[in-house]
Amino acid sequence: MNAAHLPPPWLFPQPETPWTMTSTPLVGETETCECGFLRQIIEGTSAPVIILDEHLRYLYVNPAWAHVTGVPATTFLGKKFGEVLPDVQSPDTILIEVLADGQPREVTLTGTTHNPARVDRRLWRTVFHRLESRGRVIRVCGICVAATRGDPRT
């Protein structure tokens, strides 16, 4: 995603007024933080972030995932993991378990992408979390860290 393709509104809701953080501030006052702060983290991190719906279709990928895979972010939307990256192992069984019981799970994704690398196969350590809204399971989020040696572009 980039400025031309903004993330969906549900990812970074814009409240009428900024929400108040409940952490203890340094000067004894409450801090306010708008959801734009979260957007800056997700969009600016070098860690790939993906969000899938309850049917395991892509709803969102951050710029880092689009970069490491060599696939434009819009190509992922509405498709299942293996439909866009058929040579990357799809963790469907793990994702179904995360959706079912809400327990985060760490997996290693492995495979080849459209982005040329100096290695045959890439590895990413990924943690998947269940996302809920109003008590209803609606999404699963994966946050990746490159584990491939020898290629800084992974």
Side-chain angles (χ1 to χ4, degrees):
M1 301 269 156
N2 56 36
H5 302 292
L6 294 176
W10 54 261
L11 184 58
F12 303 109
Q14 298 298 321
E16 299 270 333
T17 57
W19 55 274
T20 302
M21 292 173 39
T22 57
S23 60
T24 307
L26 296 175
V27 292
E29 297 179 13
T30 57
E31 283 183 48
T32 58
C33 178
E34 295 187 32
C35 294
F37 182 68
L38 179 59
R39 168 181 264 156
Q40 290 174 17
I41 293 169
I42 300 297
E43 295 280 315
T45 184
S46 60
V49 176
I50 63 174
I51 298 178
L52 308 169
D53 68 13
E54 69 274 15
H55 302 291
L56 307 181
R57 295 178 301 227
Y58 283 98
L59 292 173
Y60 171 80
V61 301
N62 74 340
W65 186 243
H67 174 73
V68 301
T69 62
V71 177
T74 54
T75 302
F76 288 93
L77 302 181
K79 297 184 179 144
K80 291 195 173 200
F81 207 92
E83 291 177 320
V84 182
L85 297 169
D87 297 326
V88 174
Q89 167 197 8
S90 183
D92 289 357
T93 303
I94 298 297
L95 296 173
I96 291 167
E97 290 173 1
V98 170
L99 285 167
D101 66 17
Q103 296 299 309
R105 289 180 175 74
E106 185 175 341
V107 298
T108 300
L109 299 178
T110 182
T112 58
T113 66
H114 300 281
N115 193 351
R118 289 177 277 163
V119 294
D120 290 335
R121 297 185 68 74
R122 296 178 180 196
L123 298 171
W124 297 275
R125 295 296 298 163
T126 307
V127 178
F128 288 100
H129 301 268
R130 181 169 81 180
L131 304 175
E132 299 177 15
S133 177
R134 299 182 184 134
R136 185 173 153 245
V137 176
I138 54 170
R139 299 173 182 96
V140 63
C141 174
I143 302 171
C144 311
V145 176
T148 306
R149 294 179 187 227
D151 187 2
R153 295 171 292 169
T154 60

